[in-house]
Amino acid sequence: MQKSDADKQEREVLELLQDYPAPAPDRGFYERALVRATHEGSKRQRNRWMMTGFGAAIAATIAAWVIGGMLLNEPQLPEAASTIPGVTIALAEPRTVNLVFASAKALDSATLTVTLPDGIELDGFPGQREITWETSLSEGRNLLPLTLVAVTPTGGELLARLEHEDRDRTFRLQVEVG
Amino acid sequence: MSSAQHSATFERLVQPHLDRLYRLAWRLTGSKAEAEDLFQELLIKAYQKLDDLVEIDEPGSWLSRVMYNLFIDEQRRFARRRMHLVEEGQLAGDGLQGFAGDERDNPATGNERLERLRRLDAALGQLSDEHRIVVLLHDTEGYKLVEIEELTGVPVGTVKSRLHRARTRLREILVADGTIS
């Protein structure tokens, strides 16, 4: 290819890049983000001081929620436990709950969806009720730590749905705020 | 300082930079949902650091660096878990659709242009994050090389090299699919 062709192509690429749009935010997004920043920023600062004052370890692990026997590659899958496991967390205090997924073999492209009850947030995802990841599971136990924050005293049921190909399992965790 | 004064000071400091920061978030993440989350997290962090922010000569640059570091931290966090966020609201669905609306006067030209941009979007998706970010910041957003160095902490020489490779790769992809000739 001649240099003049390459130069022309590079110019075309540059023109396309200069034309490449970025959408404007939704109407009112900035205002809502600023309000949330002042509210959430103040809250996190208060939490940090409180935690420091008591000398408590930040993000202490309080509960291990073990989901065992989730063998996605076997047809006779055990049903999710009829008794819903539960955990109690304090208002506005980040707590880490460990989810352990046991898989009989390594799985690629599994999708995990965590659905949170009203008033419970995942630390780092303020305001989001549903968070979805695409994930790979190793053979054996796979640990997923979720740091939960109660922003209201209501609590509720947290759902973790794992999907792989045409199979899925939903597990439940009752979150109480005390 | 009262809470209301804190809020007013915070808004006064960040308001002039919101558009640029939102665009940066979009360029880093390539998805509306993630851009909004990153933007929101930056503002929360900035509010927590308000005492530092008022002392800074160029809050825009500082805010951009904090956003970039948040983005990198988030990537590492998910990499450690062998997970990544599922993409939502890809540009083809969010950004280019709105852009198409600007071309109503000449639908034929608009569709052709939109199709070329969709192909560019797909080509950008084939680049590594570090190449995609450099080429978008430099060639699309108009950042200078030294500004990218300040933002990312990557030396100018490396930025130039990434920019060159990114452009070359884009040219190869777009020639191969017939977008440019």
Side-chain angles (χ1 to χ4, degrees):
Chain A
M1 181 174 51
Q2 293 190 346
K3 186 174 183 306
S4 60
D5 290 337
D7 288 347
K8 177 175 167 288
Q9 289 168 354
E10 186 151 326
R11 275 198 306 277
E12 282 193 67
V13 171
L14 280 175
E15 283 169 11
L16 270 177
L17 283 165
Q18 285 161 5
D19 218 11
Y20 189 59
D26 294 338
R27 192 181 188 85
F29 172 72
Y30 287 163
E31 289 74 16
R32 291 194 300 275
L34 285 167
V35 167
R36 187 169 184 92
T38 55
H39 176 73
E40 183 72 19
S42 301
K43 197 171 69 180
R44 286 192 197 175
Q45 261 176 338
R46 281 199 305 273
N47 289 343
R48 193 173 57 194
W49 293 334
M50 192 166 66
M51 295 290 271
T52 305
F54 285 101
I58 295 173
T61 300
I62 59 161
W65 176 31
V66 179
I67 302 169
M70 192 161 58
L71 308 176
L72 285 172
N73 62 329
E74 292 186 3
Q76 65 283 14
L77 291 175
E79 293 301 319
S82 55
T83 306
I84 300 173
V87 62
T88 302
I89 65 177
L91 187 64
E93 190 172 320
R95 296 287 182 162
T96 301
V97 174
N98 292 315
L99 278 66
V100 183
F101 295 95
S103 181
K105 67 173 188 178
L107 297 174
D108 285 327
S109 302
T111 301
L112 177 69
T113 301
V114 174
T115 306
L116 297 156
D118 283 343
I120 303 292
E121 294 188 345
L122 203 55
D123 196 26
F125 299 89
Q128 291 191 45
R129 295 270 68 81
E130 187 170 284
I131 299 113
T132 298
W133 292 269
E134 192 173 282
T135 183
S136 300
L137 296 183
S138 305
E139 182 180 335
R141 286 187 167 188
N142 296 264
L143 180 70
L144 171 66
L146 294 178
T147 302
L148 304 176
V149 185
V151 295
T152 68
T154 47
E157 199 171 85
L158 178 154
L159 306 179
R161 178 184 174 89
L162 189 63
E163 298 167 85
H164 182 256
E165 295 177 347
D166 60 345
R167 296 173 182 281
D168 66 83
R169 282 290 179 271
T170 299
F171 290 82
R172 298 164 190 276
L173 176 68
Q174 187 64 37
V175 182
E176 304 287 349
V177 181
Chain B
M1 200 187 293
S2 71
S3 175
Q5 286 172 318
H6 260 103
S7 297
T9 302
F10 176 66
E11 289 195 27
R12 178 176 55 78
L13 287 169
V14 301
Q15 191 80 48
H17 310 289
L18 294 182
D19 284 338
R20 185 174 163 94
L21 290 168
Y22 185 84
R23 289 178 70 94
L24 176 61
W26 177 261
R27 297 309 183 197
L28 292 173
T29 62
S31 120
K32 184 178 180 183
E34 287 182 68
E36 289 185 353
D37 288 348
L38 181 60
F39 183 91
Q40 180 69 78
E41 192 58 26
L42 167 72
L43 291 187
I44 292 169
K45 290 273 181 206
Y47 187 79
Q48 289 179 280
K49 299 272 186 189
L50 184 57
D51 291 344
D52 296 335
L53 191 59
V54 294
E55 301 291 333
I56 291 167
D57 289 336
E58 294 184 26
S61 303
W62 183 84
L63 288 163
S64 297
R65 277 199 302 278
V66 172
M67 177 179 277
Y68 181 80
N69 290 331
L70 281 170
F71 170 72
I72 294 298
D73 288 347
E74 191 71 0
Q75 281 192 316
R76 286 179 184 146
R77 196 153 70 91
F78 285 109
R80 277 202 299 274
R81 289 184 189 173
R82 298 180 64 210
M83 290 182 172
H84 60 273
L85 281 169
V86 172
E87 289 292 319
E88 294 173 18
Q90 292 292 321
L91 184 58
D94 287 341
L96 298 181
Q97 207 57 45
F99 170 81
D102 299 335
E103 305 285 343
R104 273 170 286 192
D105 291 342
N106 190 341
T109 309
N111 287 341
E112 185 186 328
R113 196 175 179 195
L114 186 60
E115 181 55 31
R116 282 163 63 83
L117 287 170
R118 282 206 173 110
R119 289 185 182 186
L120 173 68
D121 190 42
L124 285 164
Q126 294 184 47
L127 302 185
S128 66
D129 275 353
E130 56 194 24
H131 286 170
R132 181 180 55 80
I133 288 168
V134 164
V135 78
L136 283 175
L137 291 183
H138 189 273
D139 290 344
T140 304
E141 293 297 326
Y143 283 55
K144 295 173 183 159
L145 293 171
V146 70
E147 288 178 304
I148 298 174
E149 179 186 43
E150 285 170 7
L151 178 70
T152 62
V154 175
V156 164
T158 308
V159 173
K160 280 167 105 170
S161 160
R162 287 180 183 175
L163 182 59
H164 175 72
R165 285 182 193 166
R167 286 173 175 168
T168 301
R169 183 69 188 127
L170 282 177
R171 181 159 54 83
E172 288 170 355
I173 296 168
L174 294 170
V175 167
D177 72 9
T179 306
I180 61 175
S181 54

